[in-house]
Amino acid sequence: LERSGNHENDISEFLNQGGSDMLGFSKIRPIRDRDCAKIAEVCKGLSLKGLVFICGHAEMSEVIKIASNFQQHQRGVAVVGVFQSPNAGVYYKDFLPVTLGFDSAAAVLSELTCNILLDSSATRRYYHFIRCGSSALTMEVALQGRPTEVICNSELLDTGTTLPGLVTFLVDRIQSRYRDMNKKSGTILLSDRLFEYLPDIDRLRAEISTLHKERPDVFRIQDDAVAALSADSQATLVMLPDFVQHAVLYREDVRGMPLLLPMEPEREISRLVREQLRQRSFSA
């Protein structure tokens, strides 16, 4: 960057912040040969000898195109790719044990979570549901804070836990902590995109897809479509928010499967836990 005049005043508002606050960032678009030529022209004009790209695994494929083009045409500019992923989305044991951003994300989330843990133990009245990101990031935060429970996506896959089963487990845990230890508060950590890893959600979508092919007439009325599902699928469907129910029944994703809209797991799981506690007449 070339700056003239009193440059200290220009950048004073960005001090003690990440470089992306000043430079900005965006998702890289598909790169073509003509784009590589333009990039090379800019590098030549600025007398640059190297380019450093800090990006995720999806963008890195485009960086490889630039590197290959520069090597093929002998542009004289080195291209370096640095993986960044706060969720540790890229892992290679010997060369890339931790991605750029994971340690910072874990530190910030751990600090926030530990503050909530202290508040929970002080008030002794509330249960806090906190979403932390990927399973790796959730476990890292859990090791720092020691919450009441940790729900990881990888564990859900291994155990085959269903949505009703998960809610029942958490409700039983809350009741047992009150009954055995007289504790009325706690903190539960959840991984991001939790609903996508529940096996009963996959079965529900597969069953709806089959119904669309074999009995499309039942979808004229939503109640009839729900009644055509198996008992287990109905139990899972009714636990989802209304807008998600409608989308999974009547909309499709890019693969032609029933669309599962994004949900905030901490909000929806806490809602379901609260409803089941009320059904059990558990007021403590």
Side-chain angles (χ1 to χ4, degrees):
L1 292 177
E2 295 183 2
R3 293 182 176 269
S4 59
N6 189 354
H7 65 278
E8 291 185 358
N9 291 332
D10 294 337
I11 66 172
S12 60
E13 60 182 300
F14 298 108
L15 296 178
N16 296 323
Q17 299 183 29
S20 60
D21 293 304
M22 180 174 66
L23 300 176
F25 64 93
S26 62
K27 198 170 184 178
I28 191 170
R29 61 181 177 82
I31 298 295
R32 301 178 182 179
D33 289 341
R34 62 187 180 190
D35 297 318
C36 294
K38 290 181 180 179
I39 295 172
E41 184 179 346
V42 172
C43 291
K44 184 178 180 181
L46 297 175
S47 300
L48 299 180
K49 298 300 181 182
L51 292 174
V52 178
F53 293 87
I54 302 176
C55 53
H57 57 86
E59 293 81 9
M60 194 62 73
S61 60
E62 302 302 322
V63 175
I64 292 174
K65 293 180 183 178
I66 299 174
S68 300
N69 182 279
F70 277 32
Q71 184 180 29
Q72 180 182 355
H73 294 86
Q74 299 180 355
R75 310 266 189 198
V77 179
V79 178
V80 179
V82 180
F83 276 113
Q84 72 82 25
S85 173
N87 286 318
V90 182
Y91 173 79
Y92 192 76
K93 182 178 180 182
D94 296 326
F95 297 100
L96 196 64
V98 179
T99 53
L100 183 68
F102 178 78
D103 185 67
S104 298
V108 172
L109 278 173
S110 296
E111 181 180 0
L112 294 173
T113 301
C114 289
N115 288 339
I116 294 175
L117 281 165
L118 289 174
D119 179 71
S120 177
S121 61
T123 58
R124 300 181 180 181
R125 293 181 59 187
Y126 304 106
Y127 271 87
H128 299 272
F129 291 75
I130 305 173
R131 174 172 36 138
C132 293
S134 67
S135 293
L137 189 55
T138 303
M139 286 304 302
E140 188 68 26
V141 174
L143 290 172
Q144 300 295 326
R146 305 296 178 86
T148 307
E149 283 294 338
V150 182
I151 308 299
C152 289
N153 296 338
S154 55
E155 184 180 7
L156 295 175
L157 286 175
D158 293 339
T159 60
T161 303
T162 62
L163 180 57
L166 174 61
V167 174
T168 299
F169 166 76
L170 292 175
V171 170
D172 290 342
R173 183 83 168 100
I174 291 172
Q175 287 189 307
S176 64
R177 293 184 82 242
Y178 175 71
R179 182 179 60 250
D180 301 335
M181 296 177 283
N182 196 31
K183 292 188 175 182
K184 304 178 183 179
S185 63
T187 304
I188 299 171
L189 302 188
L190 304 167
S191 294
D192 198 11
R193 298 168 56 194
L194 179 145
F195 288 91
E196 298 177 23
Y197 289 83
L198 293 167
D200 55 330
I201 295 292
D202 286 339
R203 290 194 291 268
L204 169 64
R205 296 175 69 194
E207 191 171 338
I208 292 174
S209 178
T210 302
L211 273 178
H212 270 291
K213 296 175 182 177
E214 298 179 355
R215 300 175 59 190
D217 54 300
V218 300
F219 289 92
R220 294 175 182 173
I221 301 176
Q222 183 167 333
D223 290 341
D224 293 343
V226 174
L229 297 172
S230 64
D232 290 341
S233 293
Q234 288 184 36
T236 298
L237 181 65
V238 297
M239 297 180 76
L240 301 176
D242 291 340
F243 72 96
V244 177
Q245 292 185 35
H246 187 273
V248 79
L249 285 170
Y250 293 102
R251 297 174 60 185
E252 294 182 347
D253 59 18
V254 294
R255 299 175 299 170
M257 290 294 292
L259 178 64
L260 182 66
L261 291 177
M263 288 175 279
E264 297 176 313
E266 72 281 12
R267 184 184 299 275
E268 297 305 328
I269 296 298
S270 63
R271 173 183 64 84
L272 293 171
V273 168
R274 182 171 59 250
E275 289 176 356
Q276 191 168 133
L277 284 170
R278 287 173 177 170
Q279 291 174 4
R280 297 188 186 187
S281 301
F282 184 77
S283 60

